[in-house]
Amino acid sequence: SEVKDEAHLQKLDIFIPLADINSYLKLTEAAGQICVSQWTGPCRLGCLFHHGDHIVAVNDLQPQDVEEAYFFISRSARKEVKLTVCRIPHSDIFHVKGCSC
């Protein structure tokens, strides 16, 4: 389900350890957006992402495409990466193995 009006999207910051992003997060491009296509993170981090989440910033930098998002992540000097996400309210969650949602 596409949301045309950006005002209906929730904007939130998600902080993830750099090593966990590289191991568990997959991004893809759809309709000109950088979308979360998979989150298989460890149970300790929980179910951070929802279907339809799209990345609008990586450490406050705004990537233009998936390659640039991965570049910003790989160049992060911090141990934790800040991803700014736009989320469709009440969208399905990417559940991690063993979660208690």
Side-chain angles (χ1 to χ4, degrees):
S1 64
E2 266 186 54
V3 175
K4 298 285 186 209
D5 186 359
E6 292 282 320
H8 290 116
L9 297 177
Q10 300 170 325
K11 199 173 206 177
L12 58 143
D13 293 329
I14 298 174
F15 294 86
I16 307 172
L18 182 58
D20 291 324
I21 283 185
N22 295 328
S23 300
Y24 302 111
L25 181 68
K26 298 282 184 276
L27 303 176
T28 189
E29 206 160 324
Q33 303 281 359
I34 302 165
C35 301
V36 175
S37 61
Q38 186 179 28
W39 170 249
T40 58
C43 201
R44 66 181 159 72
L45 291 179
C47 306
L48 298 177
F49 296 97
H50 292 211
H51 293 267
D53 281 359
H54 59 273
I55 308 295
V56 294
V58 176
N59 290 333
D60 298 320
L61 300 170
Q62 298 177 336
Q64 299 304 306
D65 54 35
V66 171
E67 290 76 25
E68 197 170 43
Y70 280 124
F71 177 76
F72 290 162
I73 290 166
S74 72
R75 293 291 182 209
S76 179
R78 307 173 193 168
K79 288 188 194 288
E80 212 171 45
V81 176
K82 175 179 146 187
L83 297 178
T84 305
V85 171
C86 281
R87 174 170 294 161
I88 300 166
H90 314 296
S91 56
D92 292 336
I93 299 170
F94 280 110
H95 290 286
V96 297
K97 206 175 213 175
C99 77
S100 57
C101 287

